[in-house]
Amino acid sequence: MVTGSHEAIPDVLADRYASSGMQEIWSPQAKVLLEREFWIAVMRAQRELGLDIPLEAIQAYEDVKNRVDLASIRARERLTRHDVKARIDEFCALAGQQHIHKGLTSRDLTENVEQLQILRSLRLLRLKYAACLYRLSGRVAEYRRLAITGRTHNVPAQMTTLGKRLAMFGTEMIFAYRSLEDLLARYPLRGLKGSVGTQLDLLTLFGGDTAKVDALESRVADQLGFREVLGAVGQVYPRSLDMQVLGALCQLGSGPSSFAKTLRLMAGLDLATEGFREGQVGSSAMPHKVNSRSCERINGFQVVLGGYLHMAGALAGDQWSEGDVSCSVVRRVALPGGMFAADGMFETFLAVLVEMEIFPAIIDAERDRLLPFLATTTVLMEAVKRGAGRESAHAAIKEHALAAARALRGGQSRSDDLMTRLAGDPRIGLSSAELASLLAADERFVGAALVQADAFVAEVAGIVRDQPEAAKLAPGEVL
Amino acid sequence: MVTGSHEAIPDVLADRYASSGMQEIWSPQAKVLLEREFWIAVMRAQRELGLDIPLEAIQAYEDVKNRVDLASIRARERLTRHDVKARIDEFCALAGQQHIHKGLTSRDLTENVEQLQILRSLRLLRLKYAACLYRLSGRVAEYRRLAITGRTHNVPAQMTTLGKRLAMFGTEMIFAYRSLEDLLARYPLRGLKGSVGTQLDLLTLFGGDTAKVDALESRVADQLGFREVLGAVGQVYPRSLDMQVLGALCQLGSGPSSFAKTLRLMAGLDLATEGFREGQVGSSAMPHKVNSRSCERINGFQVVLGGYLHMAGALAGDQWSEGDVSCSVVRRVALPGGMFAADGMFETFLAVLVEMEIFPAIIDAERDRLLPFLATTTVLMEAVKRGAGRESAHAAIKEHALAAARALRGGQSRSDDLMTRLAGDPRIGLSSAELASLLAADERFVGAALVQADAFVAEVAGIVRDQPEAAKLAPGEVL
Amino acid sequence: MVTGSHEAIPDVLADRYASSGMQEIWSPQAKVLLEREFWIAVMRAQRELGLDIPLEAIQAYEDVKNRVDLASIRARERLTRHDVKARIDEFCALAGQQHIHKGLTSRDLTENVEQLQILRSLRLLRLKYAACLYRLSGRVAEYRRLAITGRTHNVPAQMTTLGKRLAMFGTEMIFAYRSLEDLLARYPLRGLKGSVGTQLDLLTLFGGDTAKVDALESRVADQLGFREVLGAVGQVYPRSLDMQVLGALCQLGSGPSSFAKTLRLMAGLDLATEGFREGQVGSSAMPHKVNSRSCERINGFQVVLGGYLHMAGALAGDQWSEGDVSCSVVRRVALPGGMFAADGMFETFLAVLVEMEIFPAIIDAERDRLLPFLATTTVLMEAVKRGAGRESAHAAIKEHALAAARALRGGQSRSDDLMTRLAGDPRIGLSSAELASLLAADERFVGAALVQADAFVAEVAGIVRDQPEAAKLAPGEVL
Amino acid sequence: MVTGSHEAIPDVLADRYASSGMQEIWSPQAKVLLEREFWIAVMRAQRELGLDIPLEAIQAYEDVKNRVDLASIRARERLTRHDVKARIDEFCALAGQQHIHKGLTSRDLTENVEQLQILRSLRLLRLKYAACLYRLSGRVAEYRRLAITGRTHNVPAQMTTLGKRLAMFGTEMIFAYRSLEDLLARYPLRGLKGSVGTQLDLLTLFGGDTAKVDALESRVADQLGFREVLGAVGQVYPRSLDMQVLGALCQLGSGPSSFAKTLRLMAGLDLATEGFREGQVGSSAMPHKVNSRSCERINGFQVVLGGYLHMAGALAGDQWSEGDVSCSVVRRVALPGGMFAADGMFETFLAVLVEMEIFPAIIDAERDRLLPFLATTTVLMEAVKRGAGRESAHAAIKEHALAAARALRGGQSRSDDLMTRLAGDPRIGLSSAELASLLAADERFVGAALVQADAFVAEVAGIVRDQPEAAKLAPGEVL
């Protein structure tokens, strides 16, 4: 028997990857406290609006609200088989009162508190994502001029700069960031709606006074920090909201994930590594290895987010009449799971942005070796400008490029052999000297790369101006 | 051998379910034409910006652009194994010219044209969705007062009205509609960016004149109807855009899908049917059946959309360096598939909204039978107002309600037995007369249902004011 | 600040739903111990096959293997950023030796140990599933004769028996059970293959002696309980194995999930409940409610399993060369998650099978009310046997059935009105007396239902003969 | 307006990628014919078992069965809104008879015919997969000895051979192939079960004679080629069967997909291409490019299959009582879609296996450059054999390897620098001469690669012995 084997199995995403800030939002203890504060807020507002709830009763609840004993609550749940009833009973027993949850149904409590957890999580992620953009823009500025072999279909295509490549991932991130802002601006609270959404019990409590019930709902929404409250709902808020939230996380993850995949490819060409901390071990067997473990993890998180989106998606459009909780276990898994995974992804991404190493000497060597091939579109354009037919010149260049590549792959020639071949072909109509001067104009081969990189840096600066804390956020310690 | 067996296998979603408007956007012929118009637009702009392209050449392309011969293009593709090159060759051969596609790479053509298809599809769906909201609001108004047994967990909970129930699904729809509007307002074009996103070849064509290249891109974007153009991209636009588009379709589908599921449940209780057209056959074996086939289909479409979101989601975050086309077959399937499925869903939903039948006599009978049970929360509230402890009254009511239900289920009593039991219990403290007068106040049991229904109708009116065509759209013929 | 807020966030599936048996397999402590036993087994076999490893060294490891200090291991991992190296260092430091992991790479350890966890989990689930089949067959036997309104498209179709309905879900389960047995019979171990699958380091250790390396691998596989070992693998075993395992769980879940959905529907018609334990609370607001919370949970688990299948599926076909660990975080989440969810589902299903309540009085009343409609296909068959054309009789019956239904729904008639209508129609050719005697032959309307129910019970008896413990397994306590 | 724009939109997977054999199984015309043959077979058997069906009537159906007019059927469906009823009416009108479909419900027809399509598709895919294995084994044999740099985490790890690498993907394929065989051996027919699965109408037709109904079902199953028939089912067969079928396709796709991903990576290092046919165009802009378009397509198909599995998975566990057809549109999309995608994937894979090019000169150069690093684990093993502590030697080697790599990346040294560094370190204890002789023993670095490659070739030979046609199958023409 193992020492300590009776401990609970920890949530692996929370435990290994998520920040303490995100853990705070979703810990079972924190949730119990959040619920109690919600109940107290409702009681206070109910009292202010005329219900007969003694101040001493409210104080009695206040006095015990921090005494969160999960084991005791669990024991009650075993009896009642109803989780909210168990938490009501526990809180009332501690306080020696029966004044909470008046006119409410379970979902008036849990839906609103969960939406609060979601809202806070999204705000935390927004900040962290802005921090990622900030660090990324630093790298873009650093490498704005470093010419590198651009690749499509994983083979050399044309030249670009490393700064522009990084800005490309950043451009996707900015779009996702703006989508998150749209969502945050509109994310609505379910509100206090009762069992089937008609507010019947609250209306009964307030003698049918609609204005008072509206006032109660507004006060609670304000206090939770929501600007919008849904109108006609049932027992639950529409589950497509959860799907949209998880979808937003997947969208946020897309740019970092493509970045990570590309860095893994660059590591395979020895152009870069994600960095290697003092003491780190690459492989227990192969001591020389520098594995892209953090980048692989980023890609893994994207898959995990996809799985949680799958779960949330299966609940959207599956509401029966005024509602049900076939969603209960699903949301217990997918909502915190998605938040932990996104949080872990951005933490990891931040760390990679800080620690990654670029090897300009290798990048230069690759580019010089491939330059004659990368320049073929420029040759094509120049030939067309001088009157060659586009399609015949294309055919001629392709013929020579393939022959040159074939010779290279057979180990029979060097890459500059291609220019010699092109110079001799009348279909193209460019002399050896003209071709040589084309190749020498190295800077122009990166086209608008610098302009784009700089525009990206400027746009991120605007985002950071709005969220100055983003510039200060450092990566936490990554396992 | 079957007659006609050599016909192509049709796309089942386009063929059986999608409207002709949506088919127009995605037919292979329409796409070829769209591409040719794109090429001509680029040529015109290039000529205006100074490139040496003869007017007669442009005219030659204009003259043949409608001659779309898919078989000939296919034969060319078999040779080149490159679909865009095949379409370039075909168009040039028809026109006897070599002036299109200058400074462009394949993706400058296909990405932008596909984004145009997406944009037009989303606009069509927005209109159709507004039409669904319009028809739904008509039903909400019609049934705003019809009291019906509200159900949670599929069992009777409290009373609501049918109009409010329908408004509940509509509230989810409005939120999804607003999200689509956000997306449409921001959906950006990739633009003319070249092979690796640096605009190298266009810059070469224009002698390095960045302003001219920018002008060219802007003119093309304007003409396609896009307000935003992405900055730093690679060969392709970020694939998370496709995921967001498919995610938006799933979100739009959620409200109609929950409506459909609920109508299937109501049909099981004989409270409603989705309607039954003259001549329709419910079952080839059981002639009396009225199956909810259209509602089931709506639910099926939601599943299909989920599958396409899965596909699009797998491409997001999987870009290698400046891009690749591992996405090609996936997008050929998922993008039109998603649009056809959403279109088919909304067409079907419209038809159900028009044709569905409600049976008030059955609804009334169910409600009357269940009223004593539905009123228990009101009894609880009244008891609490008169000084009973909430938890002890709850326990007492539960005891009696379960006993009454048990007797009913054993066939031994009638439902009004419950009120007799409650009247006798001092823990509750309400007399038989007080209870009877509670039950008689039938109207109040629906709480704020009417207020919510009316608010929904008003909000939809605002949407239709902005899109007046939505009010005129009638459902097409549903298979 | 909350009391106890520094505890780790527990895995919600393990903590709330999974059995202690399943938790034992996947707890972090148990895994460390499993790895240490694996290392010791390899050392012993290496020593027996001639390597110079002192017996005292092995004993030193044995002596400390139970001292599992997760915090200390975690501290080491923070330094090395390599989880396996951290666990090697910890074990060696405890033992004061450096003899484990010789000739192995990390994956020789982790892949094999994880496969062992998977194998043990699948065996546990097989037993539990057999127990579900056993309990289900008891219910089938109990209700084999209870005639009930069969429904398709959720509306009354023909009569069946409740026993046969339950056997229907059981038939799907048996097929899934057989698929699991196929998988268990063939599930192969990766084996000791080294960094890239060539066994290089073990061959080096054993001086190139292939036979010794094979013997070492076989001994370890035997000891772990595997019959098959994969041949040519890379660093990892093929990830489609994980997908197949998760797929098997989804398949196992399908029958219970359809059962649960159907019981939720039956509860909506008041024909059954999933049971209600002493003290249980249905709703914190509506004391009379008996919610199908366990059945909803079963449906929720099916969605959760689908999400984990999504994750595992994304890894299949994504291996780069000899392997990578972009899968690492994904498998940490999806493998235990899937096992906990399946375990929780079967536990919940067992409980429902034991506790569910059936209300024959209500079932009888529904059946009697609908009998004239349910009998229409029999009327059709009898008409055809007496010479009526199938399609004309079908049209006639449909006409009357719809008219009768319309009258009923308007509250204007009783259901026996249909038989009167049919008797008068010459297209059908059956007299009132003939129709009455048809309806009276109540027993025959269930067709082969009893035969099928009994065949199912017999087949389950065979399964339980092979796994006698299945008959003894009682449901654990469900939250 | 475009010429020919009124043609139906073709199914893109069928049209562009699937073989004609697979198209034959799923074309709408073929399905109508299949259904008619099914009806005729049932009539014949019914007549033989005593029903009064005139031979001339059967002949009348036979005479017209090939007259498949989809437009006429579609017109009928518009009226009846019931697809099967439309096909019954059409067939009866053509034959001038009313004898088909006696005692059957729609699903007795469609479920069984669809299962037949599935079975035939799986058999076709099995053959094609065996052909892929056969071609792959040819490549394994060809390259069994070609030493290549093995990679894990995409960075050089140890040496392997190309033949063994290919066998690695093949090993996964063989496991998937065996799983498919398990499934094919057990795949069961729903059978003739009637509306709710009780066979009521057939029993009525045969005067309650269970033996005759069983005989009828058996004859039909035999004729369709099924060995097993399900017992207790409802209106439909369990939808988890579809999920298992789609899951099997994903599993089959995993090996080819990992192969394709690896070939794309190898192309990025210029070690291989997937081949380039005469006339093929790599890029419309960059004439020299050889893109891995077929390999990318294979990866794309795997994603598409995942989407269809998602759809099928959502139906499993969602059966309501005796059944419904919320699955209808889903299965219309996912079943043929999955079969076309798998078929297209294996066709593409076959073509790549035939056409791919390997560049040994580049492979040799890469390996020689990296050899000192690849040999570090061997150095470690030798050091340990000579008495060094495993962990201290590991630390020493890592120190030198990282330093050597750093120097290389800075452009300051050559790769053989590493051996010089190692020779000087007493913690390792190997002289310069010992190290040199280690490196020279080049052959041994591939470990058991050849053994594994040969074992794979032998296993495939056994499969092809069972399916000799697999050896003859050539790839169709790939777009």
Side-chain angles (χ1 to χ4, degrees), chain B residues 29 55 76 78 113 118 196 311 318 337 390-391:
Chain B
Q29 295 86 352
L55 264 182
R76 290 180 189 276
R78 265 194 209 97
V113 165
I118 291 168
V196 299
M311 296 184 198
D318 191 35
R390 192 195 173 284
E391 302 316 315

Side-chain angles (χ1 to χ4, degrees), chain B residues 121-385:
Chain B
S121 299
L122 291 180
R123 286 183 182 146
L124 176 57
L125 294 176
R126 178 178 50 176
L127 175 64
K128 205 162 282 185
Y129 206 68
C132 292
L133 279 167
Y134 175 73
R135 297 277 179 175
L136 182 63
S137 77
R139 292 294 196 168
V140 169
E142 184 177 359
Y143 300 117
R144 61 194 284 279
R145 233 176 236 294
L146 179 57
I148 191 170
T149 308
R151 284 172 181 257
T152 58
H153 306 271
N154 203 34
V155 294
Q158 285 186 337
M159 216 176 286
T160 186
T161 72
L162 180 56
K164 188 246 143 97
R165 175 179 283 179
L166 297 178
M168 175 179 70
F169 302 120
T171 297
E172 179 168 15
M173 288 176 64
I174 287 178
F175 192 81
Y177 181 83
R178 303 284 186 213
S179 297
L180 176 63
E181 292 202 313
D182 279 359
L183 175 58
L184 275 169
R186 299 174 53 243
Y187 187 73
L189 190 69
R190 173 182 175 270
L192 302 174
K193 293 295 195 307
S195 303
V196 299
T198 56
Q199 305 186 304
L200 173 62
D201 299 335
L202 285 174
L203 284 168
T204 305
L205 259 183
F206 285 101
D209 186 336
T210 310
K212 282 193 175 168
V213 172
D214 283 356
L216 177 67
E217 190 174 61
S218 293
R219 287 180 195 205
V220 171
D222 275 358
Q223 177 165 338
L224 300 183
F226 282 79
R227 292 180 225 166
E228 307 231 7
V229 179
L230 288 163
V233 296
Q235 189 190 23
V236 295
Y237 65 81
R239 291 305 178 231
S240 58
L241 277 182
D242 289 340
M243 181 174 67
Q244 194 181 11
V245 165
L246 267 304
L249 300 188
C250 290
Q251 198 180 350
L252 291 169
S254 183
S257 185
S258 287
F259 162 89
K261 218 156 258 189
T262 299
L263 198 58
R264 290 165 62 196
L265 292 167
M266 290 174 70
L269 293 161
D270 213 21
L271 308 177
T273 72
E274 65 177 34
F276 207 63
R277 204 172 278 185
E278 265 321 295
Q280 182 173 345
V281 170
S283 155
S284 66
M286 296 161 289
H288 64 284
K289 290 192 71 184
V290 183
N291 294 337
S292 305
R293 61 197 292 280
S294 295
C295 284
E296 292 170 338
R297 182 178 297 165
I298 290 170
N299 292 140
F301 281 128
Q302 185 72 357
V303 166
V304 169
L305 286 173
Y308 290 132
L309 173 58
H310 174 112
M311 296 184 198
L315 301 180
D318 191 35
Q319 185 173 323
W320 289 20
S321 305
E322 276 68 38
D324 48 27
V325 291
S326 72
C327 50
S328 181
V329 63
V330 181
R331 294 174 67 252
R332 281 181 206 270
V333 171
L335 289 174
M339 297 303 176
F340 293 146
D343 189 64
M345 182 198 271
F346 305 153
E347 287 284 334
T348 310
F349 184 36
L350 260 186
V352 172
L353 286 170
V354 169
E355 300 179 12
M356 71 186 207
E357 293 180 299
I358 300 296
F359 308 126
I362 314 278
I363 289 173
D364 291 350
E366 183 202 44
R367 194 193 56 226
D368 291 346
R369 185 165 52 82
L370 294 168
L371 188 55
F373 291 94
L374 301 179
T376 52
T377 58
T378 306
V379 173
L380 178 60
M381 286 300 98
E382 291 295 333
V384 166
K385 281 205 286 187

Side-chain angles (χ1 to χ4, degrees), chain D residues 456-476:
Chain D
F456 170 76
V457 171
E459 190 164 3
V460 172
I463 287 172
V464 175
R465 256 195 307 279
D466 295 343
Q467 293 222 62
E469 286 157 82
K472 294 170 213 148
L473 223 105

